Amino acid sequence: MLLLEIVDGDEKGRVFEFDGAAGPITIGRAPTCLVALSDIHLSSTHGEIFREEDRFVYRDLRSTNGSRLLREGNRIDIDRDRSEIALKDGDQLLLGDPTGPVVLACRVTADEGDEAARVIAVKPLSELPELSGRLERDPGGAAALYPLVRKIGRRGLDLQRVLDGVVEAVFELLPRATHVSILLADEQGGERFVPITARARGGGVEPVLTSRAVMRRVLHDRAAVLAANAQAELGQTESILGAKIQSTIGAPLWDGDEVRGVIQCDNRASAGIFKERDLELLTVLASSAALAIENARLVARLKVAEERLRGENQYLRDRAERRFTDIVGESGAMRTLLRQLEKVIDTRATVCIEGETGTGKELIASAIHHQGRRRDKLFVAVNCAALPDNLLESELFGHKKGAFTGADHDKKGLFEIADGGTLFLDEIGEMSLGLQAKLLRVLQEGEVRPVGATTSRAVDVRIICATNRPLEKDVEAGRFRQDLYYRLKVFPIRLPPLRERRDDVPRLAEHFLAKYTHEMKKAVAGLAKETLDQLVAYAWPGNIRELENEVQRLVIQCEEGAFVRPEDLSPQIRKVESLMGRIAPKKGPLKDQMEEVERWLLSEALREHGGNKTKTAEALGITREGLHKKLGKYGMG
């Protein structure tokens, strides 16, 4: 047997008991896991425990934040190098965030003993109608049961309130009961039962352990069972001995012919064991409680589905109302760009995005799609430079089975997949002239013909293309069809390089810093002012992609809780700082700063050439007369 107890985490105190016979014990954030935990640092299915002969083995399922095991004070990482480890009694599993993990204490015990032992009384499902009728005719039985059934019914459809009402009803119905626990089958069905609630009379805080032996007997016999001396009648199991049970009743919660749960009622007092009448009363109460519990579980599932649907609808509404909030930038160049996008999003016009590599062309294309009328259809992107011609043709237009070697089935092309939506053709200038002709036909006719097909299919697709070089030069050089050029360049958009929008560098850097600190679960105090100044001064030939990569590297390198300092930057960025540090222009109007830089450059050039003005003028690429004018301007003549 395996007992798991959460000893540290938001759900501290929860206890899970397994025997491993029903398959792997999944652990994670997903509600379908047998050990479902709400901690956000856990993966959906973080790990699993499975039985291997006479031992239990934990396996990490390549979780994002990993798993660790604490054994006798030693910490053992469970990762790609060692993804499995056999559990021992007293081990602790540390899951999720390394600095604040969810801690599961493991209690591994010997298998339960003989379960075929004699019980005092059983009440199978087939006897339930007769038993209910007999108790209804018994004034004492009806008087005891009727108000309790009504009390459970008045608890409404909230699952926890219903469970609490059932526990209270059992305590009221059976004065000898000292402990009550309810186990319910998991949502996937089968015979996996999880303790949902467990209480001692008077609300005691002592842990209440359910007995798997009792539950197994109920399932095996498909009946309510009464054992007058549980330690003797159900075997010397660890859970029974630990709880010191003197007598116990296990009553099934029936849903048709299925057992959907078990009510376990224990008498752990030294005197006053349960009687057969107690078994009968609890069996009939359980039949009524089962309906209330199942109705509450159904409502709970419906509420979850409703919340999920509400969340999805809210997401769609927010997305419809949002206007390019994913695009970071408030510089003049970006404000001009956003005004252009506002004009084109709800049209059918083909958009051609021009910009250097790394400026975010696909982000702009995606924003045009998701803010426009086609947002409910697919946005499909393909890089025309990444595939050879024959594969790109098949990718765009699809193919029929047998059209070429390896075409063993029909395949839809991206035009058909994006029907009603948007197709983004990145690096359109790399497409061959032959393929350009076929693309032109699709744009003119609104039809695609798969490779090897004899008929065409109509499609409604908005085209957005992108290029990192001016298409006009390719047209002049004969590398790009002029007719296709005019078809594509209906609404051209130029993305400014990062060096033309330096005011946005701090915002972008902070945006990427927040992104990667969250992704890596690493606290970074921020970017120091000197660091931001250097980032702004750098020319960023790789544009936004280069800036993002630099910030990601800084987050990895930075110490926990520290500010990112200038010395942490890459060498090519620090070169700019070295030059600016030596010039050190004072803050002020741009004209004054530029004059200060020019004065410094003139001084350095004269110094390097020993004051020789002719050589200095030649080195600076100006005439001797021009040099004299500049020196006179700054009083350096």
Side-chain angles (χ1 to χ4, degrees):
M1 295 297 297
L2 174 67
L3 184 75
L4 299 176
E5 180 180 1
I6 303 176
V7 296
D8 198 359
D10 292 341
E11 296 163 285
K12 182 178 180 180
R14 288 183 64 190
V15 176
F16 305 87
E17 193 174 359
F18 303 98
D19 61 5
I25 303 158
T26 50
I27 303 173
R29 205 176 65 251
T32 54
C33 290
L34 291 184
V35 181
L37 305 171
S38 60
D39 193 287
I40 61 171
H41 299 103
L42 297 181
S43 299
S44 295
T45 307
H46 197 93
E48 66 178 9
I49 298 174
F50 59 92
R51 185 158 188 168
E52 190 176 77
E53 296 181 353
D54 60 345
R55 64 178 188 166
F56 289 92
V57 179
Y58 175 80
R59 174 189 292 146
D60 184 89
L61 298 177
R62 295 192 175 184
S63 60
T64 302
N65 292 312
S67 307
R68 288 148 290 279
L69 184 123
L70 191 63
R71 175 177 292 166
E72 298 178 353
N74 298 317
R75 191 183 180 102
I76 304 171
D77 289 331
I78 308 171
D79 49 26
R80 292 175 184 262
D81 295 330
R82 181 178 187 171
S83 62
E84 297 179 1
I85 189 168
L87 298 175
K88 294 183 179 180
D89 190 38
D91 285 347
Q92 289 189 339
L93 283 170
L94 314 179
L95 309 179
D97 186 2
T99 59
V102 176
V103 181
L104 293 176
C106 306
R107 184 74 187 276
V108 182
T109 63
D111 282 341
E112 297 184 352
D114 176 23
E115 295 189 13
R118 180 181 57 86
V119 293
I120 298 303
V122 296
K123 295 297 176 184
L125 172 63
S126 58
E127 295 183 11
L128 184 59
E130 179 186 344
L131 177 60
S132 299
R134 188 167 68 249
L135 287 175
E136 287 176 4
R137 293 189 295 272
D138 177 359
L145 284 167
Y146 182 69
L148 298 179
V149 172
R150 289 195 61 188
K151 183 182 291 187
I152 294 173
R154 286 197 295 266
R155 291 300 179 110
L157 294 171
D158 179 78
L159 180 58
Q160 191 56 55
R161 283 176 49 81
V162 171
L163 292 172
D164 290 342
V166 172
V167 172
E168 292 170 9
V170 173
F171 279 131
E172 191 171 340
L173 182 66
L174 305 180
R176 297 184 180 90
T178 60
H179 297 77
V180 174
S181 55
I182 299 176
L183 299 89
L184 297 181
D186 72 5
E187 297 293 342
Q188 303 304 313
E191 294 186 354
R192 298 174 180 174
F193 290 79
V194 180
I196 299 299
T197 188
R199 280 170 48 187
R201 185 180 288 275
V205 296
E206 62 178 286
V208 179
L209 299 179
T210 58
S211 170
R212 299 289 291 188
V214 171
M215 190 193 75
R216 286 183 173 183
R217 180 59 59 81
V218 171
L219 294 175
H220 181 270
D221 293 346
R222 295 180 60 77
V225 300
L226 164 61
N229 184 345
Q231 295 183 26
E233 300 301 332
L234 290 180
Q236 304 293 314
T237 69
E238 184 79 19
S239 55
I240 292 177
L241 290 172
K244 299 179 182 178
I245 298 173
Q246 303 298 316
S247 59
T248 187
I249 298 175
L253 297 167
W254 297 104
D255 179 18
D257 291 333
E258 296 294 324
V259 178
R260 300 297 296 157
V262 175
I263 299 177
Q264 181 180 312
C265 182
D266 302 327
N267 169 21
R268 301 180 191 174
S270 58
I273 63 174
F274 289 126
K275 306 297 183 181
E276 186 170 351
R277 182 174 173 79
D278 295 327
L279 173 65
E280 294 176 347
L281 290 170
L282 185 59
T283 301
V284 175
L285 180 68
S287 67
S288 299
L291 178 61
I293 291 173
E294 282 305 303
N295 286 341
R297 294 185 82 183
L298 175 60
V299 169
R301 289 193 292 270
L302 291 174
K303 285 182 177 178
V304 170
E306 183 183 17
E307 285 298 321
R308 185 183 298 114
L309 182 60
R310 185 181 294 116
E312 291 172 355
N313 289 340
Q314 185 62 47
Y315 168 76
L316 292 174
R317 285 195 298 270
D318 290 345
R319 192 178 69 178
E321 295 168 0
R322 188 173 65 242
R323 308 304 281 184
F324 309 116
T325 55
D326 291 336
I327 301 174
V328 179
E330 296 181 6
S331 62
M334 290 305 295
R335 286 198 296 270
T336 300
L337 172 66
L338 293 176
R339 283 195 295 271
Q340 286 183 287
L341 297 182
E342 290 284 358
K343 295 175 182 177
V344 78
I345 56 172
D346 286 326
T347 70
R348 290 176 51 88
T350 301
V351 178
C352 182
I353 305 171
E354 294 181 348
E356 297 178 6
T357 298
T359 50
K361 297 186 287 293
E362 185 169 346
L363 176 66
I364 296 298
S366 176
I368 293 172
H369 169 80
H370 287 107
Q371 302 307 317
R373 295 170 182 169
R374 296 173 178 260
R375 65 175 68 94
D376 293 327
K377 299 296 183 179
L378 289 179
F379 173 80
V380 180
V382 61
N383 188 329
C384 299
L387 297 171
D389 275 359
N390 56 340
L391 290 181
L392 182 58
E393 181 180 2
S394 172
E395 194 73 13
L396 290 175
F397 308 126
H399 64 250
K400 299 293 289 183
K401 180 179 179 181
F404 50 84
T405 303
D408 55 0
H409 62 279
D410 289 353
K411 177 186 175 181
K412 278 189 176 182
L414 296 183
F415 271 97
E416 285 190 75
I417 292 172
D419 192 18
T422 302
L423 179 60
F424 174 56
L425 301 173
D426 198 8
E427 304 300 348
I428 186 72
E430 303 299 326
M431 186 180 288
S432 70
L433 289 170
L435 205 50
Q436 289 176 32
K438 295 179 180 180
L439 175 61
L440 178 62
R441 181 180 180 280
V442 174
L443 296 180
Q444 289 174 334
E445 306 296 335
E447 296 179 341
V448 294
R449 179 179 295 176
V451 178
T454 57
T455 58
S456 300
R457 301 173 184 175
V459 292
D460 173 22
V461 178
R462 183 181 192 176
I463 297 295
I464 301 177
C465 66
T467 176
N468 61 5
R469 62 175 185 260
L471 287 179
E472 294 90 339
K473 294 184 178 180
D474 285 347
V475 172
E476 292 173 3
R479 292 189 299 267
F480 202 86
R481 295 178 61 102
Q482 188 177 46
D483 45 5
L484 179 59
Y485 168 78
Y486 288 120
R487 278 278 181 181
L488 293 175
K489 210 160 184 180
V490 176
F491 194 91
I493 291 176
R494 177 183 176 272
L495 279 187
L498 195 51
R499 61 182 174 275
E500 293 181 12
R501 42 180 295 215
R502 293 180 186 270
D503 291 349
D504 291 331
V505 171
R507 294 183 180 87
L508 287 164
E510 296 289 353
H511 169 75
F512 292 132
L513 183 72
K515 171 183 175 181
Y516 287 110
T517 51
H518 174 75
E519 182 179 301
M520 300 178 193
K521 306 298 187 293
K522 185 175 183 180
V524 175
L527 297 165
K529 177 63 169 60
E530 298 86 350
T531 306
L532 279 174
D533 290 342
Q534 292 185 39
L535 294 177
V536 172
Y538 182 57
W540 299 108
N543 292 296
I544 298 172
R545 185 179 296 127
E546 183 184 6
L547 174 60
E548 181 175 4
N549 292 342
E550 176 69 13
V551 174
Q552 183 181 16
R553 187 191 64 78
L554 291 171
V555 173
I556 295 171
Q557 179 175 300
C558 185
E559 296 295 331
E560 188 84 19
F563 279 91
V564 178
R565 306 298 304 171
E567 53 267 25
D568 298 328
L569 294 169
S570 298
Q572 71 271 18
I573 300 176
R574 291 203 302 271
K575 286 180 182 177
V576 176
E577 163 60 16
S578 176
L579 176 62
M580 296 302 292
R582 283 183 284 159
I583 300 174
K586 295 179 181 179
K587 299 296 182 183
L590 178 61
K591 179 175 178 294
D592 294 345
Q593 292 188 63
M594 293 300 295
E595 288 179 350
E596 202 167 338
V597 171
E598 189 175 37
R599 183 187 293 110
W600 184 88
L601 291 172
L602 291 169
S603 175
E604 283 293 296
L606 285 169
R607 183 183 59 79
E608 288 178 6
H609 295 90
N612 188 315
K613 295 180 182 177
T614 300
K615 292 183 178 179
T616 299
E618 290 177 357
L620 294 175
I622 59 177
T623 64
R624 182 180 172 88
E625 291 74 15
L627 176 62
H628 274 290
K629 286 182 181 180
K630 289 183 178 296
L631 293 176
K633 175 182 176 181
Y634 297 122
M636 300 171 62

